[in-house]
Amino acid sequence: MSNYHIKNFEEYFQVYRKSVRNPASFWEEVAEEHFTWQKRWDNVLSWDFTKPEIKWFEGAKLNITENCIDRHLWSKGDKTAILFEPNDPNEPAEKITYRELHTRVCKFANVLKSRGIKKGDRVCIYLPMIPELAVSVLACARIGAVHSVVFAGFSSTALSTRIVDCDAKMVLTSDGSYRGSKTIDLKGIVDEALEDCPGVESVLVAKRIDSEINMKEGRDEWLQPLLDEADSECEIEIMDAEDPLFILYTSGSTGMPKGMLHTTAGYMVYTAYTFKNVFQYREDDIYWCTADIGWITGHSYIVYGPLANGATTVMFEGVPSYPDFGRFWEIVEKHKINQFYTAPTAVRALAKHGTELVEKYDLSSLKVLGSVGEPINEEAWHWYNDNVGKKKCPIVDTWWQTETGGIMITPIPFSTPTKPTYATLPFIGIQPALMDENGEEIHGNQVDGRLCIKHPWPSMARTIWGNHQRYKDTYFSAYENKYFTGDGALRDEVGYYRITGRVDDVIIVSGHNLGTAPIEDAINEHNAVAESAIVGFPHDVKGNALCGYITLKDTGESRDHTNVSKEVNQLITDRIGPIAKLDKIYFVSGLPKTRSGKIMRRILRKISAHEYNQLGDTSTLLDPTVVDEIKELVKADA
Ligand code: 7RM
């Protein structure tokens, strides 16, 4: 018996030791006992980090939707698979059973086929958090089409860049979306994006807000009439273990987002196994992850992981602040949520509004609380623990990435003693290493360094779509024979890990990974701007907020800084989305640069955090006097 369900700390160590002593045989056992295969694998694992090439369960044949839906029909056809909670608390929740999910996915899959989508084709999904989003993701997987979900808060340029990069033939969207008291014109954004996407042949539109929209003849169709006509049975496409399942974009240090490619079998096995253990999910539990399916958290821990376990997974369309800041707790009470998984930024936003709204609701159903997306600070951790968990629910601070596909460092509830701000120990099968600047592994405890992983795990991304060289350069070139995460971490006296943050130029704002480069590109489009540099600074709600340093072009005439600031934020909103707007803007006469012309963001970061005495070595700067000027500006503003 593989230990599919870990029950205590001793068992964790025992299973962990087994999993790292022989990873292939460990994962083989898990795969064998808990999934449905059309054909067994010939080889569990082959890998070479120098290429890099990683293959899990090679030779196996399967379909992930058979594992997420069909195989549960016999034993739990009437169990709720997806519990949809709408934006408006007065609109009734919708319970979609496993049987209904099967029918809806089959119908949707048949519609995709009827519009020419075949195995391997890319389908871009730009939908709000409504059932059609989960259903369409599964429909793609059922017929072997590669889904690429783009978060429906991204701008039209961000959308078109992604559509063009993965060469999607089809876009799935809705007329609009609800967001608290507002509506968003999604179809309008798609129309704008598609002006730059000649490869898109068809757009299927779900009706959500009943708005007047433009339907382009020969390209756009309403989804519902097609679904009504579609057959309710659709055979699964038999996929190879390493066939692509999806592409999901994540920002990088250049302007171009990285299309992380995940494949089928390993991703399924790892997300299912982590879901079961990290949330200690039991039959009849109601599990809720508040993320959007547009992020990896939603892919792995709203859709695939929970459904592969036959769980009930909640999908929430709305926002934590509507109609008031008690909405999350109202939903917990209403649906008797047992596991609640959210981001530190949400916890901080809610904590800001005191404890009255949390105390108003009965949260006694809760058993496990989760955190993901960024380091959870001590204060937020305690607020979450005291007021939401009432000191009775373990908090799982789960560290992982779009690239890792599943949770990597985390406590196992009721087993691992938790410690505020620590993600604690590696999950089963995960072998972390801390590295120093010289490429040497740092052994022992009470040390810090750069976080790497030494051995492949089943759900790791296999490549960057269309750019394998960039995959190699970004993740496998910094340290020999290791996957480099881009994060820094420390290991305490008992071996617990605490993630300290990104060591590169990606800033995490409200749990969203934003690259500095595309934001700077947007700012630089302003006709008065010469140059810009973006850094993050600590913010009590968002975790980090963005601060921009801008130099203006020397035109002889003076510009109104307030106007330029407004225009710059508008450009950012148009090009990337409102999430990337700058909280602070300073107009400076020069940026701190190295002699080779590289902007030293490290210095700007320190100044923005008011750590004026920790600027480190400034001798490599081209013009050290700009540092004093910037310091004075920021100090005067504080
Ligand atoms: C799941 C997700 C990945 C980056 C990652 C970290 C940061 C995520 C934690 C965390 C500290 C955590 N994917 N991060 N979880 N930092 N503690 N528990 O967020 O691709 O969008 O971001 O997020 O820097 O590298 S992601």
Side-chain angles (χ1 to χ4, degrees), residues 190-203:
V190 170
D191 288 340
E192 215 175 297
L194 292 191
E195 285 171 24
D196 304 317
C197 307
V200 173
E201 292 164 10
S202 49
V203 179

Side-chain angles (χ1 to χ4, degrees), residues 505 507 516 520 531-538 545-551 584 586-593 598-612 614-618 621 626-631 633-634:
D505 281 329
I507 305 165
T516 54
E520 291 167 5
E531 268 191 316
S532 62
I534 300 300
V535 295
F537 67 95
L546 299 177
C547 173
Y549 293 88
I550 295 178
T551 64
K584 284 185 186 294
Y586 296 106
F587 293 91
V588 296
S589 67
L591 298 172
K593 287 189 185 175
K598 283 205 179 62
I599 298 169
M600 295 188 71
R601 292 190 184 72
R602 172 177 61 87
I603 290 171
L604 293 174
R605 243 184 326 260
K606 291 288 183 197
I607 296 175
S608 305
H610 307 293
E611 293 167 2
Y612 307 106
Q614 299 166 42
L615 301 188
D617 183 17
T618 53
L621 287 178
V626 299
V627 173
D628 296 319
E629 179 205 321
I630 295 171
K631 270 202 282 197
L633 256 178
V634 175

Side-chain angles (χ1 to χ4, degrees), residues 94-156:
E94 188 186 344
K95 289 183 175 171
I96 303 170
T97 64
Y98 273 92
R99 205 181 317 284
E100 286 159 357
L101 183 62
H102 181 261
T103 305
R104 290 178 69 161
V105 169
C106 285
K107 280 176 168 270
F108 208 120
N110 284 323
V111 169
L112 296 177
K113 279 189 180 172
S114 75
R115 291 301 174 270
I117 298 300
K118 300 179 305 297
K119 177 177 178 181
D121 287 343
R122 272 80 58 208
V123 174
C124 172
I125 305 179
Y126 188 71
L127 278 167
M129 282 287 282
I130 56 177
E132 284 83 351
L133 173 51
V135 169
S136 62
V137 160
L138 293 162
C140 287
R142 193 160 187 91
I143 64 168
V146 180
H147 56 77
S148 176
V149 183
V150 176
F151 171 57
F154 274 143
S155 70
S156 62

Side-chain angles (χ1 to χ4, degrees), residues 297 372-375 397-402 487 499 502 508 513:
T297 305
V372 60
E374 54 188 317
D397 178 353
T398 63
W399 173 84
W400 58 296
Q401 307 176 298
T402 304
D487 284 331
I499 313 301
R502 307 289 295 179
I508 298 180
N513 223 336

Side-chain angles (χ1 to χ4, degrees), residues 23 89 102 126 163 190 212 219 233 261 279 302 310 322 326 361 395 406 410 447 453 488 531 535 587 593:
H102 181 261
Y126 188 71
I163 291 172
V190 170
E212 280 291 314
R219 186 193 72 184
E233 288 292 336
L261 181 84
F279 300 103
I302 296 178
Y322 178 79
Y361 297 96
I395 296 177
T410 178
V447 292
I453 314 290
E531 268 191 316
V535 295
F587 293 91
K593 287 189 185 175

Side-chain angles (χ1 to χ4, degrees), residues 22 46 172 177 254 346 361 380 397 477 479 526:
N22 192 341
S46 63
L172 305 174
S177 65
T254 70
Y361 297 96
D397 178 353
S477 302
Y479 303 98
H526 192 286

